[in-house]
Amino acid sequence: MEINPIPVLTIQTVPYEDQKPGSNGFRKPTAVFESKRNYLQNFIQSVLSSIDLRDRQGCTMVVGSDGRYFSKTAIETIVQMAAANGIGRLIIGQNGLLSTPALSCIIRKIKAIGGIILTASHNPGGPGGDFGIKFNVANGGPAPDTVTDKIFQISKTIEEYAICPDLRIDLSRVGRQEFDLENKFKPFRVEIVDSVEVYLNMLRTLFDMNAIKSLLTGPDQLKIRIDAMNGVMGPYVRRILCDELGAPANSAVNCVPLEDFGGQYPDPNLTYATGLLEAMKGGEHGFGAAFDADGDRYMILGENGFFVNPSDSLAVIAANLSCIPYFRQMGVRGFGRSMPTSTALDKVAKAMKVPVYETPTGWKYFANLMDSGRCSLCGEESFGTGSDHLREKDGLWSVLIWLSIMAARKQSVEEIVQDHWAKFGRHYFCRFDYEALDPRTAVFIMKDLEAVITEKSFANQKFAVGSHVFSVEKTDSFEYVDPVDGTVSKKQGLRIIFADGSRIIFRISSSGTMGTTLRIYAESYEKDPTKHNKETQAVLGPLIAIALKLSQIHERTGRKGPTVIT
């Protein structure tokens, strides 16, 4: 029986004005994608059309998701549109699941032209939650501004999209599926792959897996507790930490990916990973970690719930890279951190005599540095760390780094951090998030703040809070000039830097989907080891008081406090 080729249709559509990707992809409430006609199709067509037609024909792309609600529906649409737009082959994780680091890994390994990951990161899932689409380019990293700007421009003028609505795939069956399309000379191919295998094989080349296994299974076995928060990381945690490295099965919790993440925010911080925190406070486990929905962010806890600030985690990892075979072989060329991230990394870089690059928030800025060979390790205060093994932040890689350090140094999490503070000093750091603000209000707060802090009279101003006196040394609206290609990124946050090295930073974030998020960061450096065990909020209270007074954020928004403190 002859099978007729699948028809390729061109569907008329009208553009939307709000499909502008942010620093971590394009996110909206799921209801927007479900209720607005062709909303998903418009954006996917804009992504595909941003790839030059000659490069697009017959190329390979990678597709995956964090398993949130609407992902399978969206993957089916992406497959149908990729086929109609001339893509030759799609690699898709089994059941549509791929962590963001795994997607980056596969893109790089098979030299794909790029990939689409369906995730809204740590934002909630389900019909009432959020949905997101992120396009990664051929280096495996997030699309740079030039690409996302092009996608946005196309989305504002789009008139039609191409699709093969009759094309159906089975996401559950590993293997190759081929389809003959109308007016196409070669069949369209879909390969469903094991979600973990390629990523695990990469990790085996980076780490001394036997050393980690001995730590988790030997006579002085380290008891760990790993919370996948019902996101995509469940299969990775079970396969890698339990099956490969020998951790008991009950070490891994919340490892079944759920479309609504069990009704929780898949956000690895002290506000949302409370189950892990309480378990760690019991003292039974010596190491704890949690991951966000797509597996690129992580949180580290030590025995009795000892919390490792993400900025400290980055600095500790940097100071201990000699424990990792990959870095012993490749060497260390430089470090990178986002501007709001504490300057703890800078102290390590100075001691190691390597450069440190201060970038805007967004992993795409690190990717350029790594591609040019300038940067070996980078991180952000928002619980993300990674290296040049990929072009994405990598949560499980970061956990294996920590376990490697513990195995090499034979110390607890707390001992490692305390020793680091004793050597380099402690950087007290916190972030206040004011979420779902009226966008106009947030913009005017930032505009007025910039006018105040950039006035000449503000320079050398002193702020007295209790017994503390802070002298302003420098203020600016952060601007980044990429050392690789000279690209300039302006208005990336407002900085107030004081004479003692303390900092206050104000920044509007693009990660939310409802209203605008305004973030306030505070950092204070303490060299004296006798003052390293104070409560963070007590140390930073005076700086926060200055920030609130300058911004008038409570008065201007009607808020009594931040939505989240990290």
Side-chain angles (χ1 to χ4, degrees):
M1 178 180 169
E2 187 175 336
I3 299 174
N4 292 325
I6 297 171
V8 178
L9 304 183
T10 301
I11 308 297
Q12 300 302 303
T13 189
V14 293
Y16 293 93
E17 293 292 319
D18 63 347
Q19 295 194 327
K20 182 176 176 60
S23 59
N24 287 293
F26 177 59
R27 299 178 191 171
K28 291 288 181 185
T30 309
V32 172
F33 285 94
E34 289 197 290
S35 64
K36 289 193 174 183
R37 182 177 175 81
N38 296 335
Y39 198 79
L40 171 67
Q41 290 86 342
N42 278 22
F43 189 76
I44 296 302
Q45 184 63 61
S46 299
V47 169
L48 296 172
S49 296
S50 73
I51 305 169
D52 187 275
L53 185 61
R54 290 168 296 180
D55 296 330
R56 196 164 74 223
Q57 296 304 310
C59 75
T60 298
M61 290 186 70
V62 185
V63 178
S65 79
D66 62 13
R68 70 181 56 229
Y69 174 78
F70 194 63
S71 291
K72 287 186 177 179
T73 299
I75 288 174
E76 184 174 78
T77 298
I78 290 168
V79 171
Q80 294 169 347
M81 294 185 66
N85 278 274
I87 305 297
R89 178 174 68 144
L90 286 184
I91 308 295
I92 307 176
Q94 187 177 18
N95 297 314
L97 298 176
L98 276 179
S99 72
T100 290
L103 178 109
S104 180
C105 175
I106 294 172
I107 290 172
R108 292 172 65 79
K109 181 175 176 58
I110 67 172
K111 295 180 170 56
I113 200 166
I116 295 173
I117 184 83
L118 304 176
T119 179
S121 187
H122 54 286
N123 291 17
D130 294 334
F131 190 75
I133 305 168
K134 194 167 89 166
F135 178 51
N136 283 26
V137 291
N139 69 358
D145 290 340
T146 51
V147 175
T148 56
D149 288 346
K150 186 176 181 181
I151 292 169
F152 182 44
Q153 293 305 319
I154 293 170
S155 76
K156 292 193 292 185
T157 57
I158 189 170
E159 295 180 347
E160 59 187 30
Y161 63 87
I163 191 167
C164 298
D166 296 337
L167 196 158
R168 297 286 184 271
I169 60 166
D170 181 357
L171 288 173
S172 66
R173 179 167 58 89
V174 172
R176 179 185 298 182
Q177 303 166 46
E178 291 193 346
F179 306 88
D180 288 320
L181 310 179
E182 277 184 355
N183 304 320
K184 304 287 183 183
F185 295 112
K186 291 183 178 179
F188 171 67
R189 195 163 80 200
V190 174
E191 293 178 29
I192 307 299
V193 299
D194 183 294
S195 300
V196 181
E197 190 64 33
V198 174
Y199 177 73
L200 170 56
N201 286 337
M202 177 198 67
L203 293 178
R204 288 175 177 142
T205 69
L206 305 178
F207 293 98
D208 182 345
M209 300 296 260
N210 288 329
I212 301 174
K213 188 170 185 176
S214 296
L215 179 72
L216 300 181
T217 62
D220 299 318
Q221 174 190 359
L222 175 71
K223 293 192 72 175
I224 66 174
R225 188 172 180 89
I226 310 295
D227 190 343
M229 302 191 84
N230 294 121
V232 78
M233 289 307 292
Y236 294 84
V237 169
R238 284 179 168 163
R239 180 93 161 270
I240 297 170
L241 285 169
C242 299
D243 297 349
E244 179 87 2
L245 295 171
N250 62 5
S251 302
V253 298
N254 298 319
C255 282
V256 178
L258 299 175
E259 289 192 334
D260 66 347
F261 311 115
Q264 306 298 315
Y265 277 64
D267 198 351
N269 59 38
L270 296 177
T271 301
Y272 295 115
T274 51
L276 176 66
L277 179 61
E278 290 307 310
M280 293 301 296
K281 283 181 177 178
E284 181 184 348
H285 303 89
F287 180 89
F291 301 107
D292 71 344
D294 63 316
D296 60 354
R297 300 172 195 260
Y298 71 104
M299 176 178 71
I300 301 294
L301 295 176
E303 191 173 349
N304 302 315
F306 179 84
F307 171 64
V308 182
N309 181 285
S311 294
D312 280 343
S313 180
L314 173 62
V316 168
I317 289 172
N320 289 278
L321 289 179
S322 61
C323 298
I324 313 302
Y326 174 77
F327 291 102
R328 288 201 298 269
Q329 179 184 346
M330 301 298 292
V332 178
R333 290 178 292 280
F335 299 138
R337 65 167 174 83
S338 63
M339 180 271 287
T341 301
S342 93
T343 54
L345 180 66
D346 302 41
K347 295 283 196 302
V348 179
K350 184 177 180 181
M352 294 177 65
K353 296 182 172 58
V354 298
V356 59
Y357 299 91
E358 186 178 35
T359 73
T361 296
W363 213 258
K364 56 193 171 187
Y365 299 104
F366 296 137
N368 225 17
L369 294 170
M370 290 187 283
D371 283 348
S372 67
R374 286 172 167 82
C375 187
S376 301
L377 175 78
C378 44
E380 298 181 330
E381 48 71 36
S382 53
F383 297 84
T385 309
S387 86
D388 57 357
H389 71 288
L390 293 179
R391 295 298 182 267
E392 279 282 6
K393 44 189 177 282
D394 192 342
L396 186 50
W397 172 89
S398 303
V399 164
L400 295 187
I401 288 269
W402 265 95
L403 292 174
S404 299
I405 294 169
M406 294 176 75
R409 295 184 53 157
K410 296 178 170 53
Q411 288 180 302
S412 70
V413 171
E414 185 169 357
E415 287 169 340
I416 290 168
V417 174
Q418 293 280 3
D419 278 3
H420 184 90
W421 290 342
K423 183 176 181 179
F424 295 101
R426 180 175 181 183
H427 294 254
Y428 287 93
F429 180 89
C430 76
R431 185 183 89 193
F432 281 22
D433 289 6
Y434 291 85
E435 298 176 337
L437 298 179
D438 172 67
R440 283 174 54 84
T441 301
V443 168
F444 280 118
I445 288 173
M446 291 292 287
K447 188 176 180 180
D448 292 346
L449 256 174
E450 183 173 0
V452 169
I453 71 169
T454 54
E455 268 196 11
K456 284 187 178 180
S457 60
F458 194 82
N460 302 315
Q461 189 167 331
K462 289 181 169 55
F463 292 89
V465 183
S467 59
H468 299 268
V469 178
F470 297 90
S471 299
V472 176
E473 186 172 89
K474 177 184 177 181
T475 64
D476 65 7
S477 174
F478 182 63
E479 181 177 299
Y480 177 66
V481 180
D482 191 306
V484 180
D485 58 21
T487 302
V488 179
S489 302
K490 297 184 177 182
K491 294 190 175 296
Q492 297 295 320
L494 302 175
R495 298 190 296 181
I496 303 173
I497 302 172
F498 297 97
D500 65 353
S502 298
R503 301 190 306 162
I504 297 173
I505 292 157
F506 303 88
R507 177 179 159 269
I508 287 179
S509 167
S510 61
S511 64
T513 62
M514 298 295 289
T516 294
T517 297
L518 197 155
R519 290 178 170 157
I520 299 176
Y521 310 79
E523 176 187 359
S524 180
Y525 176 68
E526 181 55 69
K527 179 65 176 173
D528 185 352
T530 65
K531 298 177 181 178
H532 284 172
N533 291 309
K534 294 184 176 182
E535 287 293 325
T536 297
Q537 296 303 318
V539 173
L540 297 176
L543 286 170
I544 294 296
I546 295 169
L548 296 179
K549 182 179 179 181
L550 286 171
S551 65
Q552 296 288 295
I553 190 167
H554 292 170
E555 293 83 353
R556 297 180 69 168
T557 64
R559 301 287 180 89
K560 294 182 179 179
T563 317
V564 179
I565 300 175
T566 54

